[in-house]
Amino acid sequence: MKLFCVLVTLFLLAATVIFARRNHNQQQQRINQQTQQPHLKQVNHNNNNNIKDDTVNILFKINYQTQLFNNNSIIFSLRGNIYPLSWQHGISLNYNQSTDSYDINLDFNLNDLKQLILEVKVLINDKDWMIGPNAEFKFENLMANRNYIVKLFPWFYTTEGSIVTFSGIYSPQLNNYRNISIYLPPSFNENLKKSYENILIMHDGQNLFDPKTAFLNNAWMCQNTLNQLINNNDYMYSIPEIIVIGIDNTNDRMNEYTYSKDPKYKVGGSGDLYLDFIETIVLPFVTKSLNNFNNQHFKNQNNLKNQNLKNNLKNNFKNQNLNDRIPKEIKNLGILGSSLGGLISCYAGWTRSHLYNRVGCMSSSFWWNNQDFNTTILTNKNIRPPIKNINNLKFYLDSGNEGEDQDGMLETKIVLNHFENFPNHLFELKRNLFYFLDRGASHNEYFWGKRFWAPLLALFDVEPEILN
């Protein structure tokens, strides 16, 4: 009997070792797969493009500022996941002088484009990959339309954005002045042809980028988070390039960031004037300034991967006008803040959904005026966003759970539940409503900057471009 028990024990021990080793190998295999560059991912596809009726023609147009280089030395190529493209070797593009772009016409199998999302990347000299995740495209109305144009605005060498500050912007609504700091994404000074349809307004601008101006010298350092997410090859942890407009607060912050008067503090109620200032002064000013921007602010060139480009950048960008960097119709305009800045952001998104469709409310002061955002604003049907706006509207709410009043966790959950209980499922978690509880976090700049990635990924996720 003892011998039998020993044998059983040895058998179980051996099985455990084999299982653990197999589990370790499987885990290591998953890790190796995750660390591969996403643009090298292979997919199955149909290589049979012999039947003309089953083909779809796509004209690829690569738009890039070519004054950086000697035109004779540049060869742009294209790689992708669907035949005739591949990830192993690029197909060279031809320069089109009439449009100042690099073009190529390719025929794809109809069934491939029905079943798969087309993923592509542009390379220079079939060696330098464009930065960021794969450009993805979904094709609609394939049975009716067999000809498409894909436009790409890549960048290759700039890995960090830059900060530009405009001083003394006057508000006629509030009769005061303030500075505005703008984060320009990495490609802004490299590819002069690219425009930016994702814009984010942020409050308390002096706390966002620079410890010297931040409260208690504790800045969010938003640029570090933005750079990391924009450069990431993995679309799950990537965002499109966005311009961030940080608007400084003033000594009248409590009035400007609230839409009603709180009887306890005997102040508040200038929030709509502040939002009018953003809409009628800040946005037009920034649009005009960036659409006529030159290289005088592009001083930090240490963010380039290619050392040889530094002098070219400095010389060729010096007097270039950057036209239409912000298009007339912005695809996604966001507004985001923390504390009272979170409150005014939620209020702006709810009452001005015609303007804002991405709303970030971090550690929001929902306690203000006896929680009247929850009891008055959200219950007023006259100011509820119309259905057509809600379909393209996203709200992000969060809080910590430490410190005074647990960082407003209870009030935030009450507002979250109100959103979830709107009739007809107007808001659903992980569709157009996002919530994050930052356990162990309290109410301060350190934790807001540390989790800034969360609202960015929720509100500005990378999605395939729909072509029809």
Side-chain angles (χ1 to χ4, degrees), residues 110-121:
L110 174 66
N111 290 327
D112 287 344
L113 295 182
K114 282 183 177 180
Q115 298 171 12
L116 302 170
I117 294 175
L118 175 63
E119 301 180 37
V120 301
K121 275 205 166 182

Side-chain angles (χ1 to χ4, degrees), residues 107-155:
D107 288 333
F108 291 81
N109 182 272
L110 174 66
N111 290 327
D112 287 344
L113 295 182
K114 282 183 177 180
Q115 298 171 12
L116 302 170
I117 294 175
L118 175 63
E119 301 180 37
V120 301
K121 275 205 166 182
V122 185
L123 292 84
I124 288 181
N125 297 328
D126 210 29
K127 180 180 66 174
D128 295 340
W129 293 79
M130 78 182 209
I131 296 175
N134 302 341
E136 298 184 339
F137 302 92
K138 290 180 66 175
F139 298 87
E140 296 186 346
N141 301 322
L142 279 168
M143 299 308 296
N145 185 14
R146 298 298 181 90
N147 297 280
Y148 294 86
I149 298 177
V150 168
K151 296 182 179 181
L152 295 165
F153 297 83
W155 80 101

Side-chain angles (χ1 to χ4, degrees), residues 6 30 44 49 89 254 283 301 335 341 360 366-367 402 463:
V6 169
R30 286 196 298 270
N44 294 325
N49 276 347
H89 303 286
M254 190 170 285
L283 284 173
Q301 299 176 21
I335 187 166
F366 290 129
W367 52 263
E402 294 291 339
E463 297 178 342

Side-chain angles (χ1 to χ4, degrees), residues 139-207:
F139 298 87
E140 296 186 346
N141 301 322
L142 279 168
M143 299 308 296
N145 185 14
R146 298 298 181 90
N147 297 280
Y148 294 86
I149 298 177
V150 168
K151 296 182 179 181
L152 295 165
F153 297 83
W155 80 101
F156 304 89
Y157 304 106
T158 317
T159 56
E160 296 180 7
S162 53
I163 310 296
V164 178
T165 299
F166 296 94
S167 302
I169 307 302
Y170 177 68
S171 169
Q173 295 88 350
L174 301 164
N175 192 28
N176 56 22
Y177 296 84
R178 72 193 72 211
N179 296 343
I180 296 175
S181 297
I182 304 173
Y183 167 87
L184 302 175
S187 73
F188 193 93
N189 289 291
E190 180 182 333
N191 189 351
L192 302 185
K193 293 186 176 183
K194 185 171 182 179
S195 60
Y196 302 88
E197 55 185 10
N198 295 289
I199 312 291
L200 177 61
I201 302 289
M202 294 184 67
H203 316 291
D204 296 311
Q206 56 265 69
N207 296 332

Side-chain angles (χ1 to χ4, degrees), residues 160-367:
E160 296 180 7
S162 53
I163 310 296
V164 178
T165 299
F166 296 94
S167 302
I169 307 302
Y170 177 68
S171 169
Q173 295 88 350
L174 301 164
N175 192 28
N176 56 22
Y177 296 84
R178 72 193 72 211
N179 296 343
I180 296 175
S181 297
I182 304 173
Y183 167 87
L184 302 175
S187 73
F188 193 93
N189 289 291
E190 180 182 333
N191 189 351
L192 302 185
K193 293 186 176 183
K194 185 171 182 179
S195 60
Y196 302 88
E197 55 185 10
N198 295 289
I199 312 291
L200 177 61
I201 302 289
M202 294 184 67
H203 316 291
D204 296 311
Q206 56 265 69
N207 296 332
L208 303 179
F209 306 112
D210 188 354
K212 294 178 182 178
T213 62
F215 180 69
L216 298 179
N217 303 117
N218 197 349
W220 292 31
M221 301 305 291
C222 293
Q223 63 270 39
N224 295 342
T225 304
L226 289 160
N227 293 336
Q228 182 178 1
L229 295 180
I230 288 171
N231 292 330
N232 200 325
N233 277 338
D234 188 344
Y235 75 95
M236 291 291 293
Y237 304 99
S238 177
I239 60 172
E241 287 197 298
I242 65 176
I243 290 175
V244 176
I245 304 171
I247 305 172
D248 281 13
N249 62 45
T250 69
N251 292 332
D252 204 23
R253 179 179 184 272
M254 190 170 285
N255 265 318
E256 294 177 357
Y257 287 8
T258 56
Y259 48 83
S260 63
K261 187 174 182 179
D262 189 315
K264 179 180 178 180
Y265 294 94
K266 297 180 173 57
V267 294
S270 298
D272 277 301
L273 294 177
Y274 171 68
L275 295 176
D276 290 342
F277 164 62
I278 295 175
E279 183 173 353
T280 63
I281 303 297
V282 174
L283 284 173
F285 171 81
V286 171
T287 299
K288 182 179 179 180
S289 299
L290 296 187
N291 283 350
N292 296 283
F293 198 71
N294 62 35
N295 190 47
Q296 61 181 315
H297 298 288
F298 190 63
K299 298 177 181 178
N300 180 14
Q301 299 176 21
N302 295 323
N303 53 358
L304 297 180
K305 293 191 296 184
N306 190 331
Q307 183 76 18
N308 295 330
L309 292 179
K310 292 184 178 181
N311 290 332
N312 288 339
L313 281 168
K314 184 175 181 180
N315 295 330
N316 290 326
F317 287 158
K318 188 171 183 180
N319 295 310
Q320 286 285 347
N321 289 327
L322 308 186
N323 297 317
D324 301 320
R325 306 313 301 273
I326 298 181
K328 292 181 180 179
E329 294 187 5
I330 299 173
K331 178 182 177 181
N332 295 313
L333 179 60
I335 187 166
L336 182 149
S338 60
S339 192
L340 286 175
L343 177 68
I344 195 64
S345 295
C346 258
Y347 176 77
W350 193 252
T351 61
R352 304 186 184 215
S353 60
H354 66 281
L355 184 65
Y356 303 105
N357 64 349
R358 300 290 184 267
V359 185
C361 315
M362 303 179 70
S363 299
S364 303
S365 302
F366 290 129
W367 52 263

